[in-house]
Amino acid sequence: MGFGGVLPMIRHIMVVERGWQTAAEFSDMIALCQFLPGANVANLAVIFGARSAGLAGSGAALAGLMVAPFAIVLVLAWLYEKFGAISTVRHMVGGLSAGAAGLILATAVKIAMPLRGSVRGLLVAGAGFVALGLLRTPFLPSLLILVPASIALAALPVRPGPPLSRRGGA
Amino acid sequence: MILLALALLFGELSLLAIGGASSALPAMERAIVVDHHWMSAAEFVRLFGLAQAAPGPNMLAVTLFGWRIAGLAGAMVATLAFLLPACCLAYAAGSLWSRFGDRRWRQVLQAGLLPVTAGLMLAAGFLLVRDAATDWRSASLAIGVAAGTLATKRHPLWFLGAAAAAGLLGFS
């Protein structure tokens, strides 16, 4: 049911409705999932499942999260293949994809916003954007340079700036 | 063997998608469109749009890429390959994370990875808008949705629906 991102809904169910987690526990889990690689919600399902019922809990939570959406998106794809030649459908999907691209751009800006006060943060984000977006450098080598450089910069002592926090989900 | 190629590609991207599935979109676009010519840039962004319109996690675009490249088996392989490595890491990290509560390196790691995620996401947004913007109408649609999302608190699905409706009326 989670249209356009499932995180806020998951939070509501787990914290407010069922009381499985306190708000602080949930925020801590989100903080972890937002810098781990991979899909945020899938990681969240795995970690929460593990805390509740070990490996089996992780598997169950992940399957519960993925199975229905997997089937639904394939039905959509099948419909698109069947009717995609019709020009109204093509136009609609064209508009949809432009909108989806715009949404990702907005998410990117939201994630970058907390870096405003940080020269180092902006430098790294800018370098990443230019390398991957404009120069199209290969992914793994780029990250092997960017990630250690960024962590080293973050480890340098500075006068305390505004705390880095992150909004939105990816 | 195309399924093996898919498994290797998405398995690698799974662990490199720092901060979320969308961080790997620039690398996916490069591999799928530029390196392997599995589909055009236009098709790539159309499948991405379709996946965003479906309920569920936004990594479902990976499922559709796999499906378009190698059918149902491709969809399954791409999805599992993209999920499992990162999920194994999350499983291991989950217990360590709470154990190392307030250590400084935990904060340094977090502060160091955020700008990388931001850069990757900006690249993803730029590339997707570039691929989706076939003319001034779709370009303004994408920019309009981005601006609208940032300026208001409306649900993203509202903007997706509006964009699809605009497309339906020929504005794309």
Side-chain angles (χ1 to χ4, degrees):
Chain A
M1 291 200 302
F3 283 100
V6 282
L7 268 184
M9 209 164 71
I10 291 179
R11 182 184 186 281
H12 184 78
I13 292 174
M14 290 188 14
V15 177
V16 183
E17 282 180 22
R18 313 231 168 134
W20 282 342
Q21 298 243 289
T22 64
E25 282 171 335
F26 191 80
S27 304
D28 193 51
M29 241 168 41
I30 292 288
L32 171 62
C33 293
Q34 285 186 331
F35 81 79
L36 281 176
N40 291 167
V41 269
N43 290 338
L44 185 75
V46 165
I47 292 172
F48 180 70
R51 286 187 188 170
S52 316
L55 192 56
S58 284
L62 191 59
L65 176 76
M66 292 305 302
V67 170
F70 179 84
I72 292 169
V73 83
L74 284 179
V75 169
L76 261 185
W78 176 77
L79 287 172
Y80 170 61
E81 190 171 63
K82 211 162 155 50
F83 301 107
I86 303 169
S87 95
T88 37
V89 176
R90 281 204 80 75
H91 276 112
M92 191 180 72
V93 177
L96 182 68
S97 58
L103 280 185
I104 289 289
L105 189 59
T107 307
V109 172
K110 277 185 203 169
I111 291 174
M113 272 309 192
L115 300 174
R116 267 169 311 172
S118 154
V119 177
R120 293 179 287 185
L122 288 175
L123 216 62
V124 172
F129 169 72
V130 170
L132 275 303
L134 302 180
L135 305 175
R136 310 307 307 275
T137 55
F139 203 40
L140 180 59
S142 315
L143 286 186
L144 285 178
I145 297 171
L146 269 179
V147 171
S150 184
I151 291 175
L153 282 175
L156 288 177
V158 270
R159 51 195 161 79
L164 288 174
S165 66
R166 204 186 125 177
R167 289 180 58 206
Chain B
M1 179 79 179
I2 199 149
L3 289 178
L4 185 66
L6 280 178
L8 290 176
L9 171 66
F10 286 105
E12 181 190 349
L13 293 183
S14 174
L15 290 174
L16 298 180
I18 295 171
S22 306
S23 299
L25 281 168
M28 286 183 205
E29 207 259 16
R30 190 186 131 110
I32 291 173
V33 176
V34 182
D35 294 348
H36 292 286
H37 302 291
W38 277 326
M39 64 185 78
S40 67
E43 186 69 4
F44 181 89
V45 74
R46 279 168 173 271
L47 290 177
F48 177 78
L50 268 186
Q52 293 299 102
N58 52 13
M59 61 144 292
L60 286 173
V62 167
T63 306
L64 291 192
F65 298 147
W67 167 79
R68 181 72 174 72
I69 294 164
L72 186 60
M76 286 180 165
V77 167
T79 308
L80 287 176
F82 193 70
L83 272 177
L84 293 182
C87 284
C88 289
L89 183 67
Y91 186 81
S95 55
L96 289 176
W97 179 254
S98 28
R99 206 174 304 162
F100 293 114
D102 296 316
R103 302 286 173 83
R104 188 174 127 77
W105 65 260
R106 191 181 116 160
Q107 282 156 9
V108 166
L109 195 64
Q110 228 171 328
L113 287 176
L114 176 66
V116 178
T117 302
L120 295 178
M121 288 293 296
L122 286 169
F126 167 75
L127 290 171
L128 285 173
V129 170
R130 186 201 67 181
D131 289 352
T134 44
D135 60 11
W136 67 270
R137 280 174 298 199
S138 40
S140 49
L141 207 52
I143 299 299
V145 166
T149 316
L150 289 171
T152 67
K153 289 207 177 299
R154 265 184 206 281
H155 195 278
L157 190 64
W158 190 91
F159 288 102
L160 274 187
L168 193 63
L169 299 173
F171 199 78
S172 82

